[in-house]
PDB file of all heavy atoms in Angstrom:
ATOM      1  N   LYS Y   1      18.681 -11.626 -30.751  1.00 97.00           N
ATOM      2  CA  LYS Y   1      17.916 -11.134 -31.890  1.00 97.00           C
ATOM      3  C   LYS Y   1      17.007 -10.011 -31.417  1.00 97.00           C
ATOM      4  O   LYS Y   1      16.204 -10.179 -30.484  1.00 97.00           O
ATOM      5  CB  LYS Y   1      17.068 -12.254 -32.521  1.00 97.00           C
ATOM      6  CG  LYS Y   1      16.265 -11.785 -33.734  1.00 97.00           C
ATOM      7  CD  LYS Y   1      17.145 -11.362 -34.898  1.00 97.00           C
ATOM      8  CE  LYS Y   1      16.338 -10.915 -36.094  1.00 97.00           C
ATOM      9  NZ  LYS Y   1      17.175 -10.525 -37.240  1.00 97.00           N
ATOM     10  N   GLU Y   2      17.149  -8.855 -32.078  1.00 96.00           N
ATOM     11  CA  GLU Y   2      16.323  -7.698 -31.760  1.00 96.00           C
ATOM     12  C   GLU Y   2      15.586  -7.234 -33.011  1.00 96.00           C
ATOM     13  O   GLU Y   2      16.132  -7.278 -34.114  1.00 96.00           O
ATOM     14  CB  GLU Y   2      17.191  -6.555 -31.214  1.00 96.00           C
ATOM     15  CG  GLU Y   2      17.872  -6.904 -29.900  1.00 96.00           C
ATOM     16  CD  GLU Y   2      18.816  -5.816 -29.424  1.00 96.00           C
ATOM     17  OE1 GLU Y   2      19.142  -4.925 -30.247  1.00 96.00           O
ATOM     18  OE2 GLU Y   2      19.232  -5.865 -28.250  1.00 96.00           O
ATOM     19  N   TYR Y   3      14.353  -6.825 -32.814  1.00 92.00           N
ATOM     20  CA  TYR Y   3      13.540  -6.288 -33.897  1.00 92.00           C
ATOM     21  C   TYR Y   3      13.177  -4.845 -33.555  1.00 92.00           C
ATOM     22  O   TYR Y   3      12.936  -4.518 -32.391  1.00 92.00           O
ATOM     23  CB  TYR Y   3      12.247  -7.089 -34.072  1.00 92.00           C
ATOM     24  CG  TYR Y   3      12.450  -8.526 -34.476  1.00 92.00           C
ATOM     25  CD1 TYR Y   3      12.415  -9.538 -33.525  1.00 92.00           C
ATOM     26  CD2 TYR Y   3      12.659  -8.873 -35.807  1.00 92.00           C
ATOM     27  CE1 TYR Y   3      12.585 -10.870 -33.887  1.00 92.00           C
ATOM     28  CE2 TYR Y   3      12.834 -10.192 -36.188  1.00 92.00           C
ATOM     29  CZ  TYR Y   3      12.792 -11.182 -35.218  1.00 92.00           C
ATOM     30  OH  TYR Y   3      12.963 -12.491 -35.585  1.00 92.00           O
ATOM     31  N   LEU Y   4      13.121  -4.012 -34.577  1.00 91.00           N
ATOM     32  CA  LEU Y   4      12.693  -2.635 -34.384  1.00 91.00           C
ATOM     33  C   LEU Y   4      11.234  -2.525 -34.799  1.00 91.00           C
ATOM     34  O   LEU Y   4      10.887  -2.763 -35.955  1.00 91.00           O
ATOM     35  CB  LEU Y   4      13.561  -1.688 -35.227  1.00 91.00           C
ATOM     36  CG  LEU Y   4      13.432  -0.192 -34.930  1.00 91.00           C
ATOM     37  CD1 LEU Y   4      13.842   0.106 -33.489  1.00 91.00           C
ATOM     38  CD2 LEU Y   4      14.264   0.621 -35.902  1.00 91.00           C
ATOM     39  N   MET Y   5      10.377  -2.202 -33.834  1.00 89.00           N
ATOM     40  CA  MET Y   5       8.949  -2.030 -34.110  1.00 89.00           C
ATOM     41  C   MET Y   5       8.610  -0.568 -33.857  1.00 89.00           C
ATOM     42  O   MET Y   5       8.447  -0.147 -32.712  1.00 89.00           O
ATOM     43  CB  MET Y   5       8.113  -2.955 -33.223  1.00 89.00           C
ATOM     44  CG  MET Y   5       8.416  -4.434 -33.462  1.00 89.00           C
ATOM     45  SD  MET Y   5       7.360  -5.551 -32.503  1.00 89.00           S
ATOM     46  CE  MET Y   5       5.780  -5.248 -33.272  1.00 89.00           C
ATOM     47  N   GLY Y   6       8.597   0.198 -34.943  1.00 89.00           N
ATOM     48  CA  GLY Y   6       8.457   1.639 -34.800  1.00 89.00           C
ATOM     49  C   GLY Y   6       9.729   2.190 -34.181  1.00 89.00           C
ATOM     50  O   GLY Y   6      10.812   2.024 -34.736  1.00 89.00           O
ATOM     51  N   GLU Y   7       9.612   2.792 -33.020  1.00 91.00           N
ATOM     52  CA  GLU Y   7      10.794   3.295 -32.324  1.00 91.00           C
ATOM     53  C   GLU Y   7      11.167   2.412 -31.142  1.00 91.00           C
ATOM     54  O   GLU Y   7      12.053   2.756 -30.361  1.00 91.00           O
ATOM     55  CB  GLU Y   7      10.529   4.733 -31.838  1.00 91.00           C
ATOM     56  CG  GLU Y   7      10.310   5.726 -32.979  1.00 91.00           C
ATOM     57  CD  GLU Y   7      10.089   7.137 -32.471  1.00 91.00           C
ATOM     58  OE1 GLU Y   7      10.040   7.303 -31.234  1.00 91.00           O
ATOM     59  OE2 GLU Y   7       9.983   8.053 -33.301  1.00 91.00           O
ATOM     60  N   VAL Y   8      10.485   1.282 -31.029  1.00 93.00           N
ATOM     61  CA  VAL Y   8      10.707   0.375 -29.896  1.00 93.00           C
ATOM     62  C   VAL Y   8      11.550  -0.812 -30.341  1.00 93.00           C
ATOM     63  O   VAL Y   8      11.271  -1.441 -31.362  1.00 93.00           O
ATOM     64  CB  VAL Y   8       9.362  -0.123 -29.316  1.00 93.00           C
ATOM     65  CG1 VAL Y   8       9.603  -1.088 -28.155  1.00 93.00           C
ATOM     66  CG2 VAL Y   8       8.507   1.051 -28.879  1.00 93.00           C
ATOM     67  N   VAL Y   9      12.602  -1.126 -29.564  1.00 93.00           N
ATOM     68  CA  VAL Y   9      13.439  -2.300 -29.821  1.00 93.00           C
ATOM     69  C   VAL Y   9      12.885  -3.474 -29.010  1.00 93.00           C
ATOM     70  O   VAL Y   9      12.756  -3.390 -27.783  1.00 93.00           O
ATOM     71  CB  VAL Y   9      14.913  -2.046 -29.438  1.00 93.00           C
ATOM     72  CG1 VAL Y   9      15.730  -3.324 -29.612  1.00 93.00           C
ATOM     73  CG2 VAL Y   9      15.488  -0.919 -30.295  1.00 93.00           C
ATOM     74  N   VAL Y  10      12.533  -4.546 -29.699  1.00 92.00           N
ATOM     75  CA  VAL Y  10      12.007  -5.749 -29.053  1.00 92.00           C
ATOM     76  C   VAL Y  10      13.081  -6.826 -29.097  1.00 92.00           C
ATOM     77  O   VAL Y  10      13.606  -7.150 -30.169  1.00 92.00           O
ATOM     78  CB  VAL Y  10      10.729  -6.251 -29.765  1.00 92.00           C
ATOM     79  CG1 VAL Y  10      10.242  -7.546 -29.133  1.00 92.00           C
ATOM     80  CG2 VAL Y  10       9.650  -5.185 -29.724  1.00 92.00           C
ATOM     81  N   SER Y  11      13.418  -7.375 -27.939  1.00 95.00           N
ATOM     82  CA  SER Y  11      14.434  -8.429 -27.850  1.00 95.00           C
ATOM     83  C   SER Y  11      13.750  -9.793 -27.857  1.00 95.00           C
ATOM     84  O   SER Y  11      13.071 -10.159 -26.889  1.00 95.00           O
ATOM     85  CB  SER Y  11      15.263  -8.275 -26.571  1.00 95.00           C
ATOM     86  OG  SER Y  11      16.031  -7.091 -26.613  1.00 95.00           O
ATOM     87  N   ALA Y  12      13.924 -10.541 -28.958  1.00 96.00           N
ATOM     88  CA  ALA Y  12      13.329 -11.872 -29.059  1.00 96.00           C
ATOM     89  C   ALA Y  12      14.221 -12.929 -28.425  1.00 96.00           C
ATOM     90  O   ALA Y  12      13.735 -13.878 -27.802  1.00 96.00           O
ATOM     91  CB  ALA Y  12      13.078 -12.217 -30.523  1.00 96.00           C
ATOM     92  N   LEU Y  13      15.537 -12.776 -28.596  1.00 97.00           N
ATOM     93  CA  LEU Y  13      16.516 -13.683 -27.980  1.00 97.00           C
ATOM     94  C   LEU Y  13      17.515 -12.842 -27.211  1.00 97.00           C
ATOM     95  O   LEU Y  13      18.026 -11.844 -27.718  1.00 97.00           O
ATOM     96  CB  LEU Y  13      17.228 -14.527 -29.044  1.00 97.00           C
ATOM     97  CG  LEU Y  13      16.346 -15.439 -29.900  1.00 97.00           C
ATOM     98  CD1 LEU Y  13      17.194 -16.148 -30.960  1.00 97.00           C
ATOM     99  CD2 LEU Y  13      15.599 -16.460 -29.050  1.00 97.00           C
ATOM    100  N   ARG Y  14      17.847 -13.287 -25.991  1.00 97.00           N
ATOM    101  CA  ARG Y  14      18.671 -12.466 -25.098  1.00 97.00           C
ATOM    102  C   ARG Y  14      19.921 -13.212 -24.634  1.00 97.00           C
ATOM    103  O   ARG Y  14      20.206 -13.283 -23.449  1.00 97.00           O
ATOM    104  CB  ARG Y  14      17.848 -12.037 -23.881  1.00 97.00           C
ATOM    105  CG  ARG Y  14      16.556 -11.296 -24.209  1.00 97.00           C
ATOM    106  CD  ARG Y  14      15.697 -11.157 -22.968  1.00 97.00           C
ATOM    107  NE  ARG Y  14      14.407 -10.559 -23.255  1.00 97.00           N
ATOM    108  CZ  ARG Y  14      14.112  -9.283 -23.044  1.00 97.00           C
ATOM    109  NH1 ARG Y  14      15.009  -8.454 -22.545  1.00 97.00           N
ATOM    110  NH2 ARG Y  14      12.910  -8.826 -23.309  1.00 97.00           N
ATOM    111  N   GLY Y  15      20.635 -13.801 -25.566  1.00 97.00           N
ATOM    112  CA  GLY Y  15      21.883 -14.472 -25.206  1.00 97.00           C
ATOM    113  C   GLY Y  15      21.705 -15.967 -24.994  1.00 97.00           C
ATOM    114  O   GLY Y  15      21.856 -16.472 -23.885  1.00 97.00           O
ATOM    115  N   ILE Y  16      21.377 -16.685 -26.064  1.00 97.00           N
ATOM    116  CA  ILE Y  16      21.136 -18.133 -25.994  1.00 97.00           C
ATOM    117  C   ILE Y  16      22.444 -18.881 -26.233  1.00 97.00           C
ATOM    118  O   ILE Y  16      23.140 -18.639 -27.217  1.00 97.00           O
ATOM    119  CB  ILE Y  16      20.102 -18.576 -27.053  1.00 97.00           C
ATOM    120  CG1 ILE Y  16      18.754 -17.894 -26.821  1.00 97.00           C
ATOM    121  CG2 ILE Y  16      19.961 -20.098 -27.071  1.00 97.00           C
ATOM    122  CD1 ILE Y  16      17.930 -18.448 -25.715  1.00 97.00           C
ATOM    123  N   ASP Y  17      22.754 -19.817 -25.342  1.00 97.00           N
ATOM    124  CA  ASP Y  17      23.854 -20.771 -25.529  1.00 97.00           C
ATOM    125  C   ASP Y  17      23.239 -22.167 -25.533  1.00 97.00           C
ATOM    126  O   ASP Y  17      22.530 -22.538 -24.595  1.00 97.00           O
ATOM    127  CB  ASP Y  17      24.887 -20.667 -24.399  1.00 97.00           C
ATOM    128  CG  ASP Y  17      25.598 -19.324 -24.381  1.00 97.00           C
ATOM    129  OD1 ASP Y  17      26.130 -18.930 -25.426  1.00 97.00           O
ATOM    130  OD2 ASP Y  17      25.618 -18.681 -23.311  1.00 97.00           O
ATOM    131  N   LEU Y  18      23.528 -22.940 -26.597  1.00 97.00           N
ATOM    132  CA  LEU Y  18      22.885 -24.244 -26.728  1.00 97.00           C
ATOM    133  C   LEU Y  18      23.647 -25.117 -27.713  1.00 97.00           C
ATOM    134  O   LEU Y  18      24.084 -24.629 -28.755  1.00 97.00           O
ATOM    135  CB  LEU Y  18      21.441 -24.063 -27.227  1.00 97.00           C
ATOM    136  CG  LEU Y  18      20.616 -25.322 -27.493  1.00 97.00           C
ATOM    137  CD1 LEU Y  18      20.345 -26.069 -26.201  1.00 97.00           C
ATOM    138  CD2 LEU Y  18      19.314 -24.959 -28.195  1.00 97.00           C
ATOM    139  N   ASP Y  19      23.806 -26.392 -27.372  1.00 97.00           N
ATOM    140  CA  ASP Y  19      24.314 -27.385 -28.315  1.00 97.00           C
ATOM    141  C   ASP Y  19      23.174 -28.294 -28.738  1.00 97.00           C
ATOM    142  O   ASP Y  19      22.321 -28.655 -27.921  1.00 97.00           O
ATOM    143  CB  ASP Y  19      25.414 -28.248 -27.678  1.00 97.00           C
ATOM    144  CG  ASP Y  19      26.712 -27.490 -27.461  1.00 97.00           C
ATOM    145  OD1 ASP Y  19      26.871 -26.416 -28.067  1.00 97.00           O
ATOM    146  OD2 ASP Y  19      27.549 -27.967 -26.678  1.00 97.00           O
ATOM    147  N   ILE Y  20      23.154 -28.660 -30.013  1.00 97.00           N
ATOM    148  CA  ILE Y  20      22.213 -29.653 -30.528  1.00 97.00           C
ATOM    149  C   ILE Y  20      23.039 -30.824 -31.015  1.00 97.00           C
ATOM    150  O   ILE Y  20      23.920 -30.658 -31.867  1.00 97.00           O
ATOM    151  CB  ILE Y  20      21.340 -29.080 -31.655  1.00 97.00           C
ATOM    152  CG1 ILE Y  20      20.521 -27.881 -31.138  1.00 97.00           C
ATOM    153  CG2 ILE Y  20      20.402 -30.163 -32.206  1.00 97.00           C
ATOM    154  CD1 ILE Y  20      19.733 -27.171 -32.228  1.00 97.00           C
ATOM    155  N   ARG Y  21      22.770 -31.999 -30.475  1.00 97.00           N
ATOM    156  CA  ARG Y  21      23.611 -33.168 -30.731  1.00 97.00           C
ATOM    157  C   ARG Y  21      23.108 -33.979 -31.916  1.00 97.00           C
ATOM    158  O   ARG Y  21      21.913 -34.042 -32.196  1.00 97.00           O
ATOM    159  CB  ARG Y  21      23.656 -34.043 -29.473  1.00 97.00           C
ATOM    160  CG  ARG Y  21      24.206 -33.303 -28.262  1.00 97.00           C
ATOM    161  CD  ARG Y  21      23.979 -34.064 -26.984  1.00 97.00           C
ATOM    162  NE  ARG Y  21      24.445 -33.321 -25.828  1.00 97.00           N
ATOM    163  CZ  ARG Y  21      24.200 -33.665 -24.571  1.00 97.00           C
ATOM    164  NH1 ARG Y  21      23.479 -34.748 -24.321  1.00 97.00           N
ATOM    165  NH2 ARG Y  21      24.667 -32.932 -23.581  1.00 97.00           N
ATOM    166  N   ARG Y  22      24.043 -34.622 -32.574  1.00 96.00           N
ATOM    167  CA  ARG Y  22      23.697 -35.488 -33.708  1.00 96.00           C
ATOM    168  C   ARG Y  22      22.790 -36.630 -33.240  1.00 96.00           C
ATOM    169  O   ARG Y  22      23.076 -37.312 -32.267  1.00 96.00           O
ATOM    170  CB  ARG Y  22      24.957 -36.077 -34.333  1.00 96.00           C
ATOM    171  CG  ARG Y  22      25.863 -35.056 -34.986  1.00 96.00           C
ATOM    172  CD  ARG Y  22      27.093 -35.721 -35.601  1.00 96.00           C
ATOM    173  NE  ARG Y  22      28.017 -34.718 -36.100  1.00 96.00           N
ATOM    174  CZ  ARG Y  22      27.923 -34.150 -37.296  1.00 96.00           C
ATOM    175  NH1 ARG Y  22      26.947 -34.513 -38.112  1.00 96.00           N
ATOM    176  NH2 ARG Y  22      28.801 -33.248 -37.687  1.00 96.00           N
ATOM    177  N   GLY Y  23      21.695 -36.822 -33.968  1.00 97.00           N
ATOM    178  CA  GLY Y  23      20.832 -37.971 -33.721  1.00 97.00           C
ATOM    179  C   GLY Y  23      19.880 -37.845 -32.555  1.00 97.00           C
ATOM    180  O   GLY Y  23      19.145 -38.788 -32.254  1.00 97.00           O
ATOM    181  N   GLU Y  24      19.850 -36.702 -31.878  1.00 97.00           N
ATOM    182  CA  GLU Y  24      18.962 -36.591 -30.730  1.00 97.00           C
ATOM    183  C   GLU Y  24      17.582 -36.094 -31.135  1.00 97.00           C
ATOM    184  O   GLU Y  24      17.377 -35.530 -32.203  1.00 97.00           O
ATOM    185  CB  GLU Y  24      19.564 -35.667 -29.659  1.00 97.00           C
ATOM    186  CG  GLU Y  24      19.476 -34.188 -29.934  1.00 97.00           C
ATOM    187  CD  GLU Y  24      19.902 -33.339 -28.729  1.00 97.00           C
ATOM    188  OE1 GLU Y  24      19.723 -33.786 -27.574  1.00 97.00           O
ATOM    189  OE2 GLU Y  24      20.442 -32.235 -28.953  1.00 97.00           O
ATOM    190  N   PHE Y  25      16.630 -36.314 -30.235  1.00 98.00           N
ATOM    191  CA  PHE Y  25      15.284 -35.754 -30.338  1.00 98.00           C
ATOM    192  C   PHE Y  25      15.211 -34.694 -29.255  1.00 98.00           C
ATOM    193  O   PHE Y  25      15.194 -35.004 -28.065  1.00 98.00           O
ATOM    194  CB  PHE Y  25      14.232 -36.844 -30.125  1.00 98.00           C
ATOM    195  CG  PHE Y  25      12.820 -36.434 -30.446  1.00 98.00           C
ATOM    196  CD1 PHE Y  25      12.182 -36.954 -31.564  1.00 98.00           C
ATOM    197  CD2 PHE Y  25      12.124 -35.555 -29.640  1.00 98.00           C
ATOM    198  CE1 PHE Y  25      10.867 -36.590 -31.869  1.00 98.00           C
ATOM    199  CE2 PHE Y  25      10.821 -35.188 -29.925  1.00 98.00           C
ATOM    200  CZ  PHE Y  25      10.188 -35.705 -31.041  1.00 98.00           C
ATOM    201  N   LEU Y  26      15.184 -33.439 -29.671  1.00 98.00           N
ATOM    202  CA  LEU Y  26      15.236 -32.302 -28.752  1.00 98.00           C
ATOM    203  C   LEU Y  26      13.917 -31.553 -28.786  1.00 98.00           C
ATOM    204  O   LEU Y  26      13.408 -31.229 -29.863  1.00 98.00           O
ATOM    205  CB  LEU Y  26      16.376 -31.368 -29.150  1.00 98.00           C
ATOM    206  CG  LEU Y  26      16.559 -30.088 -28.319  1.00 98.00           C
ATOM    207  CD1 LEU Y  26      17.077 -30.420 -26.931  1.00 98.00           C
ATOM    208  CD2 LEU Y  26      17.535 -29.129 -29.021  1.00 98.00           C
ATOM    209  N   ALA Y  27      13.356 -31.295 -27.617  1.00 98.00           N
ATOM    210  CA  ALA Y  27      12.148 -30.474 -27.524  1.00 98.00           C
ATOM    211  C   ALA Y  27      12.525 -29.101 -26.969  1.00 98.00           C
ATOM    212  O   ALA Y  27      13.231 -29.014 -25.962  1.00 98.00           O
ATOM    213  CB  ALA Y  27      11.116 -31.136 -26.626  1.00 98.00           C
ATOM    214  N   ILE Y  28      12.081 -28.055 -27.650  1.00 98.00           N
ATOM    215  CA  ILE Y  28      12.263 -26.686 -27.169  1.00 98.00           C
ATOM    216  C   ILE Y  28      10.880 -26.152 -26.830  1.00 98.00           C
ATOM    217  O   ILE Y  28      10.021 -26.016 -27.702  1.00 98.00           O
ATOM    218  CB  ILE Y  28      12.963 -25.799 -28.213  1.00 98.00           C
ATOM    219  CG1 ILE Y  28      14.352 -26.370 -28.537  1.00 98.00           C
ATOM    220  CG2 ILE Y  28      13.076 -24.369 -27.707  1.00 98.00           C
ATOM    221  CD1 ILE Y  28      15.104 -25.594 -29.599  1.00 98.00           C
ATOM    222  N   ILE Y  29      10.674 -25.895 -25.542  1.00 97.00           N
ATOM    223  CA  ILE Y  29       9.336 -25.604 -25.025  1.00 97.00           C
ATOM    224  C   ILE Y  29       9.290 -24.210 -24.423  1.00 97.00           C
ATOM    225  O   ILE Y  29      10.258 -23.768 -23.789  1.00 97.00           O
ATOM    226  CB  ILE Y  29       8.956 -26.664 -23.967  1.00 97.00           C
ATOM    227  CG1 ILE Y  29       8.820 -28.037 -24.644  1.00 97.00           C
ATOM    228  CG2 ILE Y  29       7.665 -26.299 -23.240  1.00 97.00           C
ATOM    229  CD1 ILE Y  29       8.620 -29.185 -23.690  1.00 97.00           C
ATOM    230  N   GLY Y  30       8.193 -23.545 -24.635  1.00 95.00           N
ATOM    231  CA  GLY Y  30       8.012 -22.226 -24.039  1.00 95.00           C
ATOM    232  C   GLY Y  30       6.726 -21.605 -24.516  1.00 95.00           C
ATOM    233  O   GLY Y  30       6.165 -22.013 -25.540  1.00 95.00           O
ATOM    234  N   PRO Y  31       6.226 -20.614 -23.805  1.00 93.00           N
ATOM    235  CA  PRO Y  31       4.993 -19.936 -24.215  1.00 93.00           C
ATOM    236  C   PRO Y  31       5.214 -19.066 -25.444  1.00 93.00           C
ATOM    237  O   PRO Y  31       6.358 -18.833 -25.871  1.00 93.00           O
ATOM    238  CB  PRO Y  31       4.645 -19.082 -22.988  1.00 93.00           C
ATOM    239  CG  PRO Y  31       5.971 -18.809 -22.340  1.00 93.00           C
ATOM    240  CD  PRO Y  31       6.797 -20.034 -22.571  1.00 93.00           C
ATOM    241  N   SER Y  32       4.138 -18.568 -26.007  1.00 91.00           N
ATOM    242  CA  SER Y  32       4.236 -17.623 -27.128  1.00 91.00           C
ATOM    243  C   SER Y  32       5.073 -16.422 -26.694  1.00 91.00           C
ATOM    244  O   SER Y  32       4.917 -15.914 -25.580  1.00 91.00           O
ATOM    245  CB  SER Y  32       2.844 -17.147 -27.551  1.00 91.00           C
ATOM    246  OG  SER Y  32       2.098 -18.216 -28.062  1.00 91.00           O
ATOM    247  N   GLY Y  33       5.971 -15.983 -27.579  1.00 91.00           N
ATOM    248  CA  GLY Y  33       6.814 -14.839 -27.267  1.00 91.00           C
ATOM    249  C   GLY Y  33       8.094 -15.179 -26.534  1.00 91.00           C
ATOM    250  O   GLY Y  33       8.876 -14.274 -26.210  1.00 91.00           O
ATOM    251  N   SER Y  34       8.342 -16.471 -26.284  1.00 95.00           N
ATOM    252  CA  SER Y  34       9.558 -16.852 -25.552  1.00 95.00           C
ATOM    253  C   SER Y  34      10.791 -16.915 -26.442  1.00 95.00           C
ATOM    254  O   SER Y  34      11.913 -17.030 -25.947  1.00 95.00           O
ATOM    255  CB  SER Y  34       9.356 -18.203 -24.850  1.00 95.00           C
ATOM    256  OG  SER Y  34       9.060 -19.224 -25.788  1.00 95.00           O
ATOM    257  N   GLY Y  35      10.596 -16.875 -27.783  1.00 95.00           N
ATOM    258  CA  GLY Y  35      11.726 -16.887 -28.706  1.00 95.00           C
ATOM    259  C   GLY Y  35      11.924 -18.186 -29.451  1.00 95.00           C
ATOM    260  O   GLY Y  35      12.902 -18.339 -30.186  1.00 95.00           O
ATOM    261  N   LYS Y  36      10.995 -19.137 -29.302  1.00 96.00           N
ATOM    262  CA  LYS Y  36      11.155 -20.462 -29.899  1.00 96.00           C
ATOM    263  C   LYS Y  36      11.301 -20.407 -31.419  1.00 96.00           C
ATOM    264  O   LYS Y  36      12.250 -20.942 -31.989  1.00 96.00           O
ATOM    265  CB  LYS Y  36       9.961 -21.372 -29.553  1.00 96.00           C
ATOM    266  CG  LYS Y  36       9.673 -21.549 -28.092  1.00 96.00           C
ATOM    267  CD  LYS Y  36       8.567 -22.561 -27.860  1.00 96.00           C
ATOM    268  CE  LYS Y  36       7.272 -22.278 -28.585  1.00 96.00           C
ATOM    269  NZ  LYS Y  36       6.606 -21.024 -28.145  1.00 96.00           N
ATOM    270  N   SER Y  37      10.332 -19.768 -32.066  1.00 94.00           N
ATOM    271  CA  SER Y  37      10.346 -19.730 -33.534  1.00 94.00           C
ATOM    272  C   SER Y  37      11.522 -18.920 -34.058  1.00 94.00           C
ATOM    273  O   SER Y  37      12.122 -19.265 -35.085  1.00 94.00           O
ATOM    274  CB  SER Y  37       9.033 -19.151 -34.070  1.00 94.00           C
ATOM    275  OG  SER Y  37       7.957 -20.027 -33.803  1.00 94.00           O
ATOM    276  N   THR Y  38      11.872 -17.853 -33.361  1.00 96.00           N
ATOM    277  CA  THR Y  38      13.029 -17.046 -33.771  1.00 96.00           C
ATOM    278  C   THR Y  38      14.297 -17.881 -33.742  1.00 96.00           C
ATOM    279  O   THR Y  38      15.107 -17.853 -34.671  1.00 96.00           O
ATOM    280  CB  THR Y  38      13.179 -15.820 -32.853  1.00 96.00           C
ATOM    281  OG1 THR Y  38      11.979 -15.045 -32.904  1.00 96.00           O
ATOM    282  CG2 THR Y  38      14.354 -14.957 -33.288  1.00 96.00           C
ATOM    283  N   LEU Y  39      14.475 -18.647 -32.666  1.00 97.00           N
ATOM    284  CA  LEU Y  39      15.645 -19.527 -32.550  1.00 97.00           C
ATOM    285  C   LEU Y  39      15.666 -20.547 -33.683  1.00 97.00           C
ATOM    286  O   LEU Y  39      16.706 -20.760 -34.329  1.00 97.00           O
ATOM    287  CB  LEU Y  39      15.627 -20.225 -31.193  1.00 97.00           C
ATOM    288  CG  LEU Y  39      16.733 -21.252 -30.941  1.00 97.00           C
ATOM    289  CD1 LEU Y  39      18.117 -20.628 -31.037  1.00 97.00           C
ATOM    290  CD2 LEU Y  39      16.541 -21.913 -29.567  1.00 97.00           C
ATOM    291  N   LEU Y  40      14.514 -21.157 -33.951  1.00 96.00           N
ATOM    292  CA  LEU Y  40      14.437 -22.168 -35.008  1.00 96.00           C
ATOM    293  C   LEU Y  40      14.752 -21.558 -36.368  1.00 96.00           C
ATOM    294  O   LEU Y  40      15.480 -22.152 -37.174  1.00 96.00           O
ATOM    295  CB  LEU Y  40      13.039 -22.776 -35.017  1.00 96.00           C
ATOM    296  CG  LEU Y  40      12.930 -24.179 -35.629  1.00 96.00           C
ATOM    297  CD1 LEU Y  40      13.482 -25.207 -34.655  1.00 96.00           C
ATOM    298  CD2 LEU Y  40      11.479 -24.515 -35.949  1.00 96.00           C
ATOM    299  N   ASN Y  41      14.234 -20.374 -36.630  1.00 95.00           N
ATOM    300  CA  ASN Y  41      14.454 -19.729 -37.924  1.00 95.00           C
ATOM    301  C   ASN Y  41      15.925 -19.361 -38.135  1.00 95.00           C
ATOM    302  O   ASN Y  41      16.433 -19.414 -39.262  1.00 95.00           O
ATOM    303  CB  ASN Y  41      13.582 -18.483 -38.049  1.00 95.00           C
ATOM    304  CG  ASN Y  41      12.113 -18.817 -38.221  1.00 95.00           C
ATOM    305  OD1 ASN Y  41      11.755 -19.936 -38.586  1.00 95.00           O
ATOM    306  ND2 ASN Y  41      11.253 -17.859 -37.943  1.00 95.00           N
ATOM    307  N   ILE Y  42      16.612 -18.981 -37.072  1.00 96.00           N
ATOM    308  CA  ILE Y  42      18.039 -18.650 -37.204  1.00 96.00           C
ATOM    309  C   ILE Y  42      18.858 -19.912 -37.441  1.00 96.00           C
ATOM    310  O   ILE Y  42      19.741 -19.951 -38.302  1.00 96.00           O
ATOM    311  CB  ILE Y  42      18.524 -17.879 -35.958  1.00 96.00           C
ATOM    312  CG1 ILE Y  42      17.886 -16.484 -35.932  1.00 96.00           C
ATOM    313  CG2 ILE Y  42      20.047 -17.756 -35.956  1.00 96.00           C
ATOM    314  CD1 ILE Y  42      18.177 -15.694 -34.663  1.00 96.00           C
ATOM    315  N   ILE Y  43      18.551 -20.985 -36.705  1.00 96.00           N
ATOM    316  CA  ILE Y  43      19.250 -22.260 -36.924  1.00 96.00           C
ATOM    317  C   ILE Y  43      19.014 -22.751 -38.349  1.00 96.00           C
ATOM    318  O   ILE Y  43      19.918 -23.280 -39.002  1.00 96.00           O
ATOM    319  CB  ILE Y  43      18.764 -23.313 -35.906  1.00 96.00           C
ATOM    320  CG1 ILE Y  43      19.254 -22.951 -34.498  1.00 96.00           C
ATOM    321  CG2 ILE Y  43      19.275 -24.714 -36.283  1.00 96.00           C
ATOM    322  CD1 ILE Y  43      18.644 -23.807 -33.404  1.00 96.00           C
ATOM    323  N   GLY Y  44      17.789 -22.543 -38.847  1.00 96.00           N
ATOM    324  CA  GLY Y  44      17.445 -23.017 -40.181  1.00 96.00           C
ATOM    325  C   GLY Y  44      17.898 -22.117 -41.312  1.00 96.00           C
ATOM    326  O   GLY Y  44      17.661 -22.428 -42.482  1.00 96.00           O
ATOM    327  N   GLY Y  45      18.544 -20.995 -40.986  1.00 95.00           N
ATOM    328  CA  GLY Y  45      19.042 -20.110 -42.032  1.00 95.00           C
ATOM    329  C   GLY Y  45      17.973 -19.254 -42.666  1.00 95.00           C
ATOM    330  O   GLY Y  45      18.190 -18.662 -43.729  1.00 95.00           O
TER     331      GLY Y  45
END
């Protein structure tokens, strides 16, 4: 996922591969700017 901020391209996600299993409790951890919310928003449509 890339965003255009003015003339600058910002890469929020840089090639994520991940499976989410049925019935699991999964924690996705990382500092601000690591891409957590972007990943969640794409999974959530």
